[in-house]
Short mmCIF file of all heavy atoms in Angstrom, two decimals:
data_model
loop_
_atom_site.label_atom_id
_atom_site.label_comp_id
_atom_site.label_asym_id
_atom_site.label_seq_id
_atom_site.Cartn_x
_atom_site.Cartn_y
_atom_site.Cartn_z
N ALA B 1620 -19.83 35.04 38.59
CA ALA B 1620 -18.69 34.19 38.12
C ALA B 1620 -18.95 32.75 38.28
O ALA B 1620 -18.65 31.89 37.43
CB ALA B 1620 -17.41 34.68 38.83
N LYS B 1621 -19.61 32.34 39.42
CA LYS B 1621 -19.98 31.00 39.70
C LYS B 1621 -20.96 30.46 38.63
O LYS B 1621 -20.84 29.38 38.09
CB LYS B 1621 -20.45 30.80 41.05
CG LYS B 1621 -20.82 29.38 41.44
CD LYS B 1621 -21.31 29.29 42.85
CE LYS B 1621 -21.66 27.82 43.20
NZ LYS B 1621 -22.14 27.71 44.57
N ASN B 1622 -22.04 31.27 38.38
CA ASN B 1622 -23.05 30.91 37.37
C ASN B 1622 -22.47 30.87 35.96
O ASN B 1622 -22.79 30.01 35.18
CB ASN B 1622 -24.21 31.91 37.44
CG ASN B 1622 -25.03 31.73 38.73
OD1 ASN B 1622 -24.95 30.78 39.43
ND2 ASN B 1622 -25.76 32.83 39.06
N GLY B 1623 -21.50 31.77 35.74
CA GLY B 1623 -20.83 31.79 34.43
C GLY B 1623 -19.99 30.47 34.23
O GLY B 1623 -19.97 29.99 33.10
N GLU B 1624 -19.35 30.06 35.30
CA GLU B 1624 -18.60 28.76 35.18
C GLU B 1624 -19.52 27.62 34.89
O GLU B 1624 -19.23 26.68 34.12
CB GLU B 1624 -17.82 28.52 36.47
CG GLU B 1624 -16.64 29.50 36.63
CD GLU B 1624 -15.94 29.23 37.89
OE1 GLU B 1624 -16.47 28.44 38.79
OE2 GLU B 1624 -14.82 29.77 38.12
N THR B 1625 -20.77 27.64 35.54
CA THR B 1625 -21.73 26.56 35.23
C THR B 1625 -22.18 26.58 33.80
O THR B 1625 -22.29 25.55 33.16
CB THR B 1625 -22.89 26.70 36.26
OG1 THR B 1625 -22.50 26.73 37.59
CG2 THR B 1625 -23.94 25.62 36.06
N LEU B 1626 -22.57 27.86 33.36
CA LEU B 1626 -22.97 27.92 31.97
C LEU B 1626 -21.75 27.60 30.97
O LEU B 1626 -22.02 26.97 29.99
CB LEU B 1626 -23.35 29.39 31.65
CG LEU B 1626 -23.71 29.72 30.22
CD1 LEU B 1626 -24.94 28.87 29.75
CD2 LEU B 1626 -24.06 31.24 30.05
N LEU B 1627 -20.53 27.90 31.40
CA LEU B 1627 -19.41 27.61 30.57
C LEU B 1627 -19.28 26.06 30.44
O LEU B 1627 -18.92 25.55 29.38
CB LEU B 1627 -18.10 28.20 31.14
CG LEU B 1627 -16.88 28.06 30.34
CD1 LEU B 1627 -17.03 28.73 28.98
CD2 LEU B 1627 -15.67 28.67 31.02
N GLY B 1628 -19.52 25.39 31.53
CA GLY B 1628 -19.49 23.89 31.50
C GLY B 1628 -20.50 23.32 30.54
O GLY B 1628 -20.24 22.35 29.83
N ALA B 1629 -21.68 23.86 30.54
CA ALA B 1629 -22.78 23.42 29.60
C ALA B 1629 -22.41 23.72 28.19
O ALA B 1629 -22.61 22.86 27.28
CB ALA B 1629 -24.11 24.06 29.99
N ILE B 1630 -21.83 24.89 27.87
CA ILE B 1630 -21.47 25.25 26.56
C ILE B 1630 -20.26 24.28 26.06
O ILE B 1630 -20.27 23.85 24.90
CB ILE B 1630 -21.05 26.72 26.46
CG1 ILE B 1630 -22.27 27.58 26.76
CG2 ILE B 1630 -20.48 27.08 25.11
CD1 ILE B 1630 -21.97 29.09 26.71
N ASN B 1631 -19.35 24.04 26.92
CA ASN B 1631 -18.24 23.14 26.54
C ASN B 1631 -18.72 21.71 26.24
O ASN B 1631 -18.20 21.06 25.31
CB ASN B 1631 -17.19 23.18 27.68
CG ASN B 1631 -16.38 24.45 27.70
OD1 ASN B 1631 -16.22 25.14 26.68
ND2 ASN B 1631 -15.87 24.78 28.91
N PHE B 1632 -19.72 21.27 27.01
CA PHE B 1632 -20.26 20.01 26.75
C PHE B 1632 -20.99 19.97 25.41
O PHE B 1632 -20.93 19.00 24.64
CB PHE B 1632 -21.25 19.59 27.83
CG PHE B 1632 -21.82 18.20 27.73
CD1 PHE B 1632 -21.02 17.16 28.14
CD2 PHE B 1632 -23.06 18.01 27.34
CE1 PHE B 1632 -21.51 15.82 28.07
CE2 PHE B 1632 -23.62 16.64 27.23
CZ PHE B 1632 -22.80 15.65 27.59
N PHE B 1633 -21.67 21.06 25.11
CA PHE B 1633 -22.40 21.16 23.84
C PHE B 1633 -21.38 21.21 22.67
O PHE B 1633 -21.51 20.57 21.65
CB PHE B 1633 -23.19 22.44 23.79
CG PHE B 1633 -23.78 22.84 22.50
CD1 PHE B 1633 -24.91 22.26 22.02
CD2 PHE B 1633 -23.21 23.77 21.60
CE1 PHE B 1633 -25.53 22.53 20.74
CE2 PHE B 1633 -23.65 24.06 20.43
CZ PHE B 1633 -24.87 23.44 19.96
N ILE B 1634 -20.22 21.92 22.85
CA ILE B 1634 -19.22 21.96 21.84
C ILE B 1634 -18.55 20.62 21.60
O ILE B 1634 -18.33 20.16 20.43
CB ILE B 1634 -18.08 22.98 22.22
CG1 ILE B 1634 -18.76 24.41 22.18
CG2 ILE B 1634 -16.90 22.87 21.32
CD1 ILE B 1634 -17.74 25.49 22.72
N ALA B 1635 -18.33 19.87 22.71
CA ALA B 1635 -17.66 18.56 22.58
C ALA B 1635 -18.57 17.62 21.79
O ALA B 1635 -18.13 16.83 20.99
CB ALA B 1635 -17.34 18.01 23.92
N SER B 1636 -19.82 17.64 22.06
CA SER B 1636 -20.82 16.70 21.41
C SER B 1636 -20.95 17.02 19.91
O SER B 1636 -20.95 16.14 19.04
CB SER B 1636 -22.15 16.75 22.08
OG SER B 1636 -22.01 16.30 23.46
N VAL B 1637 -21.03 18.29 19.58
CA VAL B 1637 -21.20 18.70 18.19
C VAL B 1637 -19.92 18.48 17.46
O VAL B 1637 -19.89 18.06 16.28
CB VAL B 1637 -21.60 20.16 18.13
CG1 VAL B 1637 -21.60 20.65 16.67
CG2 VAL B 1637 -22.96 20.35 18.76
N ASN B 1638 -18.77 18.68 18.10
CA ASN B 1638 -17.47 18.37 17.44
C ASN B 1638 -17.38 16.89 17.11
O ASN B 1638 -16.81 16.51 16.03
CB ASN B 1638 -16.34 18.80 18.37
CG ASN B 1638 -14.98 18.63 17.77
OD1 ASN B 1638 -14.61 19.22 16.76
ND2 ASN B 1638 -14.18 17.72 18.33
N THR B 1639 -17.78 16.00 18.08
CA THR B 1639 -17.70 14.58 17.79
C THR B 1639 -18.62 14.26 16.59
O THR B 1639 -18.31 13.40 15.77
CB THR B 1639 -18.17 13.78 18.97
OG1 THR B 1639 -17.31 14.13 20.12
CG2 THR B 1639 -18.10 12.30 18.74
N LEU B 1640 -19.81 14.86 16.55
CA LEU B 1640 -20.73 14.56 15.44
C LEU B 1640 -20.15 15.04 14.09
O LEU B 1640 -20.27 14.33 13.08
CB LEU B 1640 -22.06 15.29 15.72
CG LEU B 1640 -23.13 15.20 14.61
CD1 LEU B 1640 -23.59 13.72 14.46
CD2 LEU B 1640 -24.35 16.11 14.93
N VAL B 1641 -19.60 16.20 14.07
CA VAL B 1641 -19.14 16.80 12.80
C VAL B 1641 -17.79 16.19 12.31
O VAL B 1641 -17.66 15.72 11.20
CB VAL B 1641 -19.02 18.34 12.94
CG1 VAL B 1641 -18.35 18.92 11.69
CG2 VAL B 1641 -20.31 19.00 13.18
N ASN B 1642 -16.81 16.08 13.18
CA ASN B 1642 -15.44 15.73 12.76
C ASN B 1642 -15.22 14.23 12.91
O ASN B 1642 -14.12 13.83 12.49
CB ASN B 1642 -14.40 16.50 13.58
CG ASN B 1642 -14.50 18.02 13.33
OD1 ASN B 1642 -14.68 18.45 12.21
ND2 ASN B 1642 -14.30 18.81 14.37
N LYS B 1643 -16.07 13.42 13.45
CA LYS B 1643 -15.89 12.07 13.48
C LYS B 1643 -16.98 11.24 12.84
O LYS B 1643 -16.66 10.50 11.87
CB LYS B 1643 -15.73 11.59 15.01
CG LYS B 1643 -14.48 12.05 15.70
CD LYS B 1643 -14.36 11.53 17.06
CE LYS B 1643 -13.05 12.01 17.75
NZ LYS B 1643 -12.92 11.40 19.05
N THR B 1644 -18.25 11.51 13.22
CA THR B 1644 -19.30 10.68 12.68
C THR B 1644 -19.57 11.06 11.23
O THR B 1644 -19.63 10.21 10.34
CB THR B 1644 -20.62 10.84 13.51
OG1 THR B 1644 -20.28 10.59 14.90
CG2 THR B 1644 -21.67 9.88 13.07
N ILE B 1645 -19.79 12.35 11.02
CA ILE B 1645 -20.11 12.82 9.65
C ILE B 1645 -18.84 12.62 8.74
O ILE B 1645 -18.98 12.24 7.51
CB ILE B 1645 -20.51 14.25 9.63
CG1 ILE B 1645 -21.86 14.37 10.37
CG2 ILE B 1645 -20.72 14.83 8.23
CD1 ILE B 1645 -22.42 15.78 10.43
N GLU B 1646 -17.69 12.88 9.26
CA GLU B 1646 -16.48 12.72 8.48
C GLU B 1646 -16.24 11.24 8.09
O GLU B 1646 -15.78 10.96 6.96
CB GLU B 1646 -15.22 13.21 9.30
CG GLU B 1646 -13.92 13.23 8.50
CD GLU B 1646 -13.99 14.29 7.37
OE1 GLU B 1646 -14.78 15.29 7.47
OE2 GLU B 1646 -13.19 14.08 6.46
N ASP B 1647 -16.54 10.34 9.00
CA ASP B 1647 -16.46 8.94 8.62
C ASP B 1647 -17.44 8.52 7.48
O ASP B 1647 -17.08 7.75 6.60
CB ASP B 1647 -16.78 8.09 9.88
CG ASP B 1647 -16.67 6.58 9.51
OD1 ASP B 1647 -15.52 6.05 9.32
OD2 ASP B 1647 -17.76 5.92 9.55
N THR B 1648 -18.57 9.12 7.57
CA THR B 1648 -19.56 8.84 6.48
C THR B 1648 -19.07 9.47 5.16
O THR B 1648 -19.21 8.81 4.03
CB THR B 1648 -20.92 9.44 6.84
OG1 THR B 1648 -21.32 8.85 8.08
CG2 THR B 1648 -21.95 9.08 5.73
N LEU B 1649 -18.47 10.60 5.19
CA LEU B 1649 -17.98 11.26 3.97
C LEU B 1649 -16.75 10.52 3.39
O LEU B 1649 -16.57 10.54 2.16
CB LEU B 1649 -17.58 12.74 4.27
CG LEU B 1649 -18.75 13.66 4.54
CD1 LEU B 1649 -18.24 15.09 4.82
CD2 LEU B 1649 -19.73 13.71 3.31
N MET B 1650 -15.98 9.89 4.28
CA MET B 1650 -14.91 9.03 3.72
C MET B 1650 -15.48 7.82 2.92
O MET B 1650 -14.93 7.47 1.87
CB MET B 1650 -14.07 8.52 4.89
CG MET B 1650 -13.17 9.58 5.50
SD MET B 1650 -11.95 10.14 4.43
CE MET B 1650 -10.95 8.73 4.14
N THR B 1651 -16.57 7.25 3.44
CA THR B 1651 -17.23 6.20 2.67
C THR B 1651 -17.82 6.73 1.39
O THR B 1651 -17.81 6.04 0.33
CB THR B 1651 -18.37 5.52 3.55
OG1 THR B 1651 -17.81 5.14 4.84
CG2 THR B 1651 -18.96 4.36 2.83
N VAL B 1652 -18.42 7.96 1.43
CA VAL B 1652 -18.85 8.55 0.17
C VAL B 1652 -17.71 8.80 -0.81
O VAL B 1652 -17.92 8.57 -2.02
CB VAL B 1652 -19.57 9.90 0.55
CG1 VAL B 1652 -19.88 10.71 -0.73
CG2 VAL B 1652 -20.78 9.65 1.35
N LYS B 1653 -16.53 9.18 -0.36
CA LYS B 1653 -15.36 9.32 -1.26
C LYS B 1653 -15.00 8.00 -1.94
O LYS B 1653 -14.76 7.94 -3.09
CB LYS B 1653 -14.21 9.96 -0.38
CG LYS B 1653 -12.98 10.21 -1.26
CD LYS B 1653 -13.29 11.33 -2.29
CE LYS B 1653 -12.00 11.69 -3.05
NZ LYS B 1653 -12.27 12.70 -4.02
N GLN B 1654 -15.02 6.91 -1.14
CA GLN B 1654 -14.71 5.61 -1.73
C GLN B 1654 -15.81 5.20 -2.72
O GLN B 1654 -15.54 4.63 -3.81
CB GLN B 1654 -14.65 4.57 -0.61
CG GLN B 1654 -13.49 4.81 0.37
CD GLN B 1654 -13.49 3.79 1.53
OE1 GLN B 1654 -14.32 2.96 1.61
NE2 GLN B 1654 -12.53 3.95 2.38
N TYR B 1655 -17.07 5.57 -2.46
CA TYR B 1655 -18.12 5.31 -3.40
C TYR B 1655 -17.92 6.10 -4.71
O TYR B 1655 -18.12 5.55 -5.74
CB TYR B 1655 -19.48 5.68 -2.73
CG TYR B 1655 -20.56 5.98 -3.76
CD1 TYR B 1655 -21.22 4.93 -4.41
CD2 TYR B 1655 -21.00 7.23 -3.99
CE1 TYR B 1655 -22.24 5.19 -5.34
CE2 TYR B 1655 -22.01 7.50 -4.90
CZ TYR B 1655 -22.66 6.51 -5.54
OH TYR B 1655 -23.60 6.76 -6.41
#
Side-chain angles (χ1 to χ4, degrees):
K1621 182 179 180 181
N1622 292 339
E1624 289 178 349
T1625 305
L1626 177 62
L1627 186 62
I1630 294 176
N1631 287 333
F1632 186 76
F1633 172 81
I1634 291 173
S1636 300
V1637 175
N1638 182 65
T1639 302
L1640 176 65
V1641 173
N1642 295 324
K1643 291 185 178 181
T1644 308
I1645 295 180
E1646 187 65 26
D1647 178 70
T1648 304
L1649 290 178
M1650 287 295 295
T1651 307
V1652 170
K1653 184 65 177 177
Q1654 296 175 359
Y1655 158 74

